[in-house]
Every structure is written in structure tokens, then in C-alpha cells.
Amino acid sequence: MYRNTGCPAEDIQEHWHYVSFGLSDLYGDNRVHEFTGADGPSGFGFELTFRLKREVGETAPPTWPAELMQGLARYVFQSENTFCSGDHVSWHNPLDNSESRIQHMLLTEDPQIQPVHTPFGSVSFLQIVGVCTEELQAAQQWNGQGILELMRGVQIAGGPWLITDMRRGETIFDIDPHLQQERVDQGIETEGSNLSGVSAKCVWDDLSRPPEDEEDSRSICIGSQPRRLSDKDTEQIRETLRKGLEFNSKATLPPISSQRQSHERPQSRKDSLESESSAAIVPHELVRTRQLESVHLKFNQESGTLLPLCLRGRLLHGRHFTYKSINGDTAITFVSTGVEGAFATEEHPYAAHGPWLQILLTEEFVEQMLGDLQELNTREETKLPKEYSWPEKKLKISVLPDSVFDNPLQ
């Protein structure tokens, strides 16, 4: 924790600067992280930083940011999911447990600390930026980097170094109402969203097979033991999320790789992601993809409210969107007809690879769903459960209370 005097000439106010250590490899002896050589990422490849406005009279840095960063680090170690610049974290609670409006986080490159190359690999520094709910929603619907750039131009919202002020009571849209319509809404319309996926409370059920078929059809249901994703599937989903952040002219889902990696040196996380995107597609009979006739998708309220974003901001722009369950290996990827590499097709729009479900939606069906799901766009609490059904498409979606996912046997 450091005291940073800022730079008044550049409108950078005095603040406390927090820097983590331990997400990267500190030892290089495989005690905490697998050592993969100096050319790859060190540990997870990044450390977290945070800049908090120094209040008048403060002589020592508040310690709550350390607990916040520890919580994020715990998530990374337990899930092995890494953070990237532009990512968002839905926290749903004031970061300092006060009454503050700053209840969520965006991530960006630290403006002072440049990436470094160490004997144990490379390390970048990702800065946590506290944001209000309205700013988080705008980042989800458009993109995190765009919102961060708007915040850099508003001194009270962070300024050039994106310094978090927990006493900030106004959003950037309260301060400058033109930002919503002229920048965010226009960006959504022309660019779509670059949010390619979220960790979520979700499950899916194959309605096209009888319940007694234990081998396949009920393996993903609430209350049963799901089949685990293979390492290849897990890496493919991670690469799906990563590649969705790129503005490519043609969206592509990375293929599932062959087993050739097992005979080579241990792959770093970065290498395994890159190799997934360049490997050849395994023949259909080896990946054991199942075509489903009818599916039932279940989301909690927060995940459900992102469905219009998934459809309007992603699929209508020829992209894909993934929900990855935080409670298990279940994953649901929506794909548009323009996405290459998907195992769901127009002929078989519902396809599963173990617990990973892909759903291909045509533009016409997306427009129909947007109309039917319009009430999910409102920011008001919706009375649950909510059910939506398209019998002709053999698709059903339920939005359920969190308790259903937290207590799956109920």
C-alpha cells in the first residue's frame, strides 16, 4: 500500500495505491504456480492494483481494499479463470461495506506500472476501478473499455488515472446526460457489445429424452451430479470468452484440439488458450456431440436480465455469448448463424458436448425472442419465477430465484 501524491498539473489527485503480489509466480519452484519458463506468463500472468482517493486527514491507507483484492484473488485461484483489461465484476455490494453507490468493478491496465518480464515469466498489472450500477450495466451492454474512457474524461469519476472515490454520489450519466445517448447508445447500435460471456447461475435440461435415461439426458439437471468438463472443453470455453472480446469481422468459436499436447512440454495457461484457437477440429465421432430436440434453460434473475444484451448486443452482430455456471461445469453458449466452428447448426440448433450446450439462433428468431423478453430490460425487480416458451422451436427459458441454484435439492 503506497501513498501517491498524484500530479495536480494533470488533474491527478492524491491517493492510496494498492498492489497485490502472489497471482504471479514469486518463486519459480512449482510450489504455488506451475513454472512454464521465462517466455510464458508468470503464474496467472497478472497482479491486481487499486487506486483509492485519499481523504483529508488520512495518515494511513484503509485496509478494506486489501480484503477486496484478496476476494478476487481467491476467485482466480479457485476457478483458474484469469482477468483481462475491460472485464467487469458484478459485486452487488458497496466495495467498502458502507452505503456507497460504488458497488461493482471494471478492470483496466494500471496507468503507471508497465508489464514486466521476469525470470519466471511476464506480468501485467490490472487496475480495479470502482463503478456504480448504471456504469456497470452500460459496460455490459456496450464495452468496458468504452466506459472507462468516458470515466477518464470526468474528474469526479476517476480522471486520467481512474482513481476510485467511494463518496462519489453521481454516475457519469448524472454528471453528463449526453454521454448515455451520444456515446453509449450509439456505440451499442453500431458496434454491439464486446461482453462475450459471464459467470452465472444457470443450468440446462434436455427435454427430448426421458428422465430415466441416466446416461445423458439428466446429467445437467438441478439436483443431479453433472458430468465434468474435460480440460480441452474448459480451455475451449475460456478461449470462447477471450476471443469474443476481439472485434473480428467474422466471429469464430475455437475448435476442440486433439490430444497432441499431452506428449509435449506442460502448456502454460496462455499457450493452451492460443493452441486451442489454432488446433484442427477433432472428427465429429471423437467429440461425442449430441443433437437435442428440445431444451429448457434456467437462469437466476441477474443472468436473465442479460438475455436481451446477449441477443441484441451479440447475436444480432454475428457473435456468440456464453453463460458459464459458477456452481459446476455447466455452460450455455448462444451462437448466431455467422459464427464458425460451432457444433450447433441450423439443421440441429441445439447440440451438447458433455455439459456444454450450444444454441444456434437465426436472426428472425432472435428478433422474436427480444420482443417476448422485453420485460427483462427493465431495471425493476421482476416477480419470479418467470417462464418463456417457444413451442414451435422446442425451447423454454425460466428465470428463477437464487435459492433454486443455491439449494439445488429443493
Side-chain angles (χ1 to χ4, degrees):
M1 307 176 190
Y2 304 91
R3 181 170 175 174
N4 193 309
T5 57
C7 182
E10 298 180 21
D11 287 330
I12 299 169
Q13 56 194 327
E14 189 173 357
H15 60 278
W16 302 108
H17 192 200
Y18 301 77
V19 185
S20 75
F21 63 96
L23 285 162
S24 60
D25 192 350
L26 305 178
Y27 309 103
D29 59 4
N30 293 310
R31 271 190 291 171
V32 180
H33 299 283
E34 179 186 358
F35 178 59
T36 56
D39 294 333
S42 171
F44 288 104
F46 69 96
E47 294 289 354
L48 294 170
T49 74
F50 182 61
R51 296 177 186 272
L52 178 67
K53 179 183 176 182
R54 178 177 173 269
E55 301 295 342
V56 176
E58 275 186 340
T59 57
T63 57
W64 64 262
E67 298 176 14
L68 181 76
M69 296 165 77
Q70 185 78 356
L72 294 177
R74 188 177 300 112
Y75 163 78
V76 171
F77 271 94
Q78 291 177 350
S79 68
E80 294 194 347
N81 291 326
T82 58
F83 291 125
C84 300
S85 179
D87 281 355
H88 76 271
V89 179
S90 303
W91 201 249
H92 299 288
N93 193 65
L95 303 188
D96 60 352
N97 291 316
S98 67
E99 300 297 320
S100 174
R101 290 187 70 178
I102 309 300
Q103 301 188 7
H104 308 282
M105 293 166 270
L106 297 178
L107 294 166
T108 188
E109 296 92 350
D110 189 285
Q112 271 190 305
I113 312 180
Q114 299 301 311
V116 295
H117 293 281
T118 78
F120 307 143
S122 59
V123 186
S124 61
F125 294 84
L126 292 178
Q127 180 175 319
I128 300 165
V129 181
V131 296
C132 303
T133 299
E134 294 82 354
E135 293 157 351
L136 171 79
Q137 291 171 338
Q140 291 174 332
Q141 294 165 10
W142 182 28
N143 67 77
Q145 296 290 11
I147 298 303
L148 289 165
E149 192 57 40
L150 296 183
M151 293 178 67
R152 289 187 181 96
V154 180
Q155 180 64 23
I156 193 174
W161 284 10
L162 294 169
I163 298 165
T164 298
D165 179 2
M166 293 304 296
R167 296 188 179 185
R168 174 163 68 97
E170 294 179 300
T171 71
I172 56 174
F173 308 115
D174 294 330
I175 298 168
D176 186 352
H178 296 291
L179 292 179
Q180 178 69 52
Q181 185 173 5
E182 295 179 4
R183 298 293 299 277
V184 178
D185 291 347
Q186 184 178 355
I188 295 171
E189 183 68 27
T190 58
E191 303 166 11
S193 171
N194 78 339
L195 178 65
S196 63
V198 291
S199 297
K201 293 184 178 180
C202 63
V203 293
W204 63 268
D205 191 5
D206 178 4
L207 298 181
S208 54
R209 298 208 179 192
E212 61 271 14
D213 185 356
E214 294 290 343
E215 174 62 24
D216 283 319
S217 64
R218 311 306 287 182
S219 62
I220 313 301
C221 292
I222 294 178
S224 64
Q225 191 67 28
R227 181 182 294 108
R228 292 192 62 79
L229 284 172
S230 69
D231 291 341
K232 291 182 297 179
D233 293 340
T234 300
E235 294 297 352
Q236 184 179 4
I237 291 173
R238 288 178 184 160
E239 179 67 357
T240 296
L241 298 179
R242 185 181 296 269
K243 289 185 74 64
L245 294 174
E246 304 169 3
F247 287 100
N248 296 324
S249 58
K250 180 174 286 188
T252 305
L253 279 172
I256 298 171
S257 69
S258 65
Q259 296 287 352
R260 60 179 174 79
Q261 293 177 0
S262 61
H263 303 295
E264 301 174 357
R265 67 173 178 82
Q267 297 287 321
S268 69
R269 290 181 181 88
K270 182 177 180 182
D271 287 338
S272 64
L273 291 176
E274 291 175 344
S275 64
E276 290 296 331
S277 63
S278 59
I281 296 179
V282 176
H284 173 81
E285 62 271 13
L286 295 183
V287 300
R288 198 172 179 275
T289 299
R290 294 185 293 122
Q291 280 81 39
L292 315 179
E293 294 181 12
S294 178
V295 294
H296 183 189
L297 313 180
K298 303 170 187 177
F299 302 96
N300 74 331
Q301 180 153 20
E302 182 181 3
S303 303
T305 58
L306 291 175
L307 283 168
L309 155 68
C310 161
L311 299 173
R312 178 179 292 108
R314 297 293 298 178
L315 268 66
L316 285 184
H317 290 265
R319 299 173 186 158
H320 50 81
F321 189 90
T322 296
Y323 288 93
K324 174 66 176 69
S325 173
I326 62 174
N327 295 331
D329 286 332
T330 301
I332 302 169
T333 297
F334 292 89
V335 299
S336 65
T337 53
V339 174
E340 295 183 347
F343 46 79
T345 64
E346 289 192 60
E347 184 180 0
H348 300 287
Y350 312 133
H353 184 87
W356 185 9
L357 174 70
Q358 286 187 9
I359 297 181
L360 187 145
L361 302 176
T362 64
E363 183 174 341
E364 181 182 6
F365 188 25
V366 168
E367 295 284 7
Q368 179 185 346
M369 291 179 68
L370 279 170
D372 296 336
L373 299 174
Q374 192 168 6
E375 62 183 331
L376 295 178
N377 277 317
T378 63
R379 296 179 180 175
E380 301 175 0
E381 290 288 319
T382 305
K383 187 176 180 180
L384 302 179
K386 284 284 184 183
E387 291 199 350
Y388 307 89
S389 182
W390 297 269
E392 72 284 359
K393 299 291 186 180
K394 298 183 179 180
L395 175 64
K396 181 179 179 181
I397 294 178
S398 296
V399 182
L400 306 170
D402 276 26
S403 58
V404 174
F405 301 89
D406 298 335
N407 302 289
L409 296 181
Q410 288 185 355

